[in-house]
């Protein structure tokens, strides 16, 4: 059995974390999963060019999927913290750094670590039109 490389481990982890959050919101449909796979393919090249950035790839994949979903479906994941007003999406913090978190900038709070939206009560977040 061939050992898994740090690059492959980072990509598999990124895929798993983003898919967990999509599944928590019940939006992990085949076309959405294809968006995740497309991002992983693109980020593979990015990490091959900058191996020191492997710790950042999960947050970047999450942002890529967010952007792709915005174009196709609407904002995701919706903030479970703010009850009133216009629905808004959580954002990944840091934008380029390790230990990515979903945060609500409107309320100024950390909602969940990437991959943990289901545990944060964001399971029914769906989409909001852009």
């Amino acid at each position: 059995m061939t050992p898994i490389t740090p690059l492959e481990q980072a990509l598999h982890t990124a895929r798993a974390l983003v898919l967990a959050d999509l599944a928590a919101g019940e939006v992990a449909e085949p076309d959405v999963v294809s968006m995740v796979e497309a991002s992983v393919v693109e980020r593979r090249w990015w990490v091959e060019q900058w191996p020191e950035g492997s710790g950042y790839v999960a947050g970047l994949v999450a942002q890529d999927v967010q952007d792709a979903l915005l174009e196709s479906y609407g904002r995701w994941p919706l903030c479970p913290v703010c009850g009133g007003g216009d629905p808004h999406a959580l954002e990944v913090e840091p934008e380029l750094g390790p230990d990515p978190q979903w945060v609500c900038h409107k309320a100024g709070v950390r909602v969940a670590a990437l991959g943990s939206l289901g545990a944060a009560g964001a399971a029914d977040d769906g989409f909001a039109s852009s």
Side-chain angles (χ1 to χ4, degrees):
M1 187 164 129
T2 306
I4 190 165
T5 66
L7 166 69
E8 288 302 316
Q9 182 62 47
L11 293 168
H12 289 305
T13 299
R15 178 187 294 113
L17 293 172
V18 174
L19 288 173
D21 286 343
L22 289 164
E26 299 180 7
V27 295
E29 300 296 324
D31 59 332
V32 177
V33 172
S34 293
M35 292 176 188
V36 175
E37 294 303 323
S39 173
V40 169
V41 167
E42 290 178 26
R43 292 303 174 176
R44 176 182 308 280
W45 178 87
W46 183 84
V47 176
E48 286 171 348
Q49 304 308 305
W50 188 46
E52 298 83 20
S54 66
Y56 309 156
V57 76
L60 293 170
V61 170
Q63 291 173 50
D64 292 345
V65 172
Q66 246 187 334
D67 292 345
L69 287 170
L70 182 60
E71 292 177 17
S72 303
Y73 296 98
R75 293 180 294 254
W76 173 87
L78 293 182
C79 179
V81 175
C82 300
D86 291 329
H88 57 279
L90 298 174
E91 296 180 30
V92 176
E93 288 277 326
E95 287 186 27
L96 183 62
D99 193 28
Q101 309 287 313
W102 291 111
V103 298
C104 170
H105 283 281
K106 188 173 182 181
V109 297
R110 174 191 170 274
V111 176
L114 185 67
S116 300
L117 279 179
D124 297 322
D125 50 15
F127 294 104
S129 297
S130 46

